[in-house]
Amino acid sequence: MRWVEFAGEEPARVYVHGLGSSAPAYFAASAVHPLLAGRRSLLVDLLGHGLSDRPTHFDYRLESHADTLAAVLTAAGVTGAEVIAHSMGGSVAVVLADRHPHLVSRLVVVDANLDPTAPRPGQPGSSGIAAYTEEEFVSGGWAEFADLVGPHWWSTMRLTGREALYRSAVHSARNTSPTVRERLIGLSVPRTFLFPAADCPLPGAEGLVAAGVSVVPVPDCGHNIMLDNPEAFVRAAAAALAA
């Protein structure tokens, strides 16, 4: 696994990308923004994605992604990190905090899927990919997503290992046991969940708030909040980390 690192003060901040993405591509501008700059920052690419290797023998379960991320952070000398993680990476970060609590001191989850989702043919995300068999997807189904996901997402998705993309999507849709939502509710570290204001009301928000999770809508954006409205994202993330 590989990452891009910016020098700065401890504790470190760790940025984790979503399915078919890459942390430097999605988070570099945010990490050097004046409101967030100055900390040691690791923009980590999960196995199968971005700059990292693409092993075909790896299972790409959320728990496995979290455990390999834990190994990377340990090797980099990171403990008690502030973790900012998007989409599938947000799910991985919640599992990381649950399984390796000494590595996470604060968590900002950016529009992650907290619950299992059923396969849905024709959808651009994990549920659409999960509608294929692995053989169907690897042998040609992956190319059908170029038009579905649009040029920005495809620019990193096309570089993702095909087995990695498929298995990550399937396990993201299946979620974990206990679910990512249940794990998030059970954590004791400060937690913030950012989501597009257009998706209000957020399903299950009451339970998250009751458990101490700050639920924050971000205006004028879609799922890729940090790309769609960079200033609002940085302000919301900085506020969450300072709270």
Side-chain angles (χ1 to χ4, degrees):
M1 287 176 69
R2 298 175 176 86
W3 65 92
V4 169
E5 182 167 341
F6 301 135
E9 298 179 358
E10 300 283 351
R13 287 195 180 127
V14 176
Y15 294 82
V16 188
H17 61 85
L19 177 70
S21 302
S22 170
Y26 276 65
F27 283 115
S30 299
V32 299
H33 189 283
L35 290 178
L36 293 177
R39 287 288 188 88
R40 182 189 181 196
S41 299
L42 288 75
L43 285 64
V44 182
D45 281 344
L46 299 172
L47 272 182
H49 293 72
L51 303 172
S52 293
D53 290 350
R54 295 151 176 77
T56 58
H57 61 276
F58 191 67
D59 62 24
Y60 296 96
R61 297 164 61 241
L62 293 176
E63 297 92 335
S64 300
H65 275 308
D67 290 346
T68 54
L69 178 57
V72 164
L73 298 182
T74 299
V78 173
T79 58
E82 299 176 342
V83 180
I84 304 173
H86 177 236
S87 196
M88 183 191 77
S91 302
V92 170
V94 171
V95 178
L96 173 73
D98 184 40
R99 291 167 72 95
H100 306 276
H102 67 288
L103 294 175
V104 181
S105 64
R106 190 177 293 267
L107 191 57
V108 180
V109 179
V110 186
D111 206 28
N113 183 22
L114 303 181
D115 306 298
T117 58
R120 297 176 61 194
Q123 294 300 304
S126 57
S127 62
I129 294 173
Y132 293 81
T133 67
E134 182 168 332
E135 181 179 0
E136 289 170 341
F137 186 78
V138 170
S139 64
W142 67 277
E144 299 173 6
F145 281 76
D147 293 331
L148 276 177
V149 303
H152 191 280
W153 194 2
W154 184 247
S155 69
T156 55
M157 183 179 284
R158 67 189 178 85
L159 303 175
T160 307
R162 297 179 194 177
E163 292 86 358
L165 183 60
Y166 178 79
R167 295 173 197 169
S168 295
V170 166
H171 291 297
S172 181
R174 289 179 182 170
N175 210 265
T176 65
S177 181
T179 66
V180 173
R181 181 182 297 274
E182 291 167 336
R183 292 175 190 262
L184 179 61
I185 286 173
L187 294 175
S188 59
V189 297
R191 297 143 292 158
T192 299
F193 189 93
L194 306 182
F195 71 103
D199 292 345
C200 286
L202 180 72
E206 298 84 357
L208 295 177
V209 172
V213 180
S214 296
V215 177
V216 179
V218 181
D220 303 322
C221 64
H223 178 59
N224 295 324
I225 300 174
M226 72 293 297
L227 302 178
D228 296 339
N229 193 342
E231 285 296 321
F233 170 75
V234 168
R235 289 195 301 270
L241 295 171

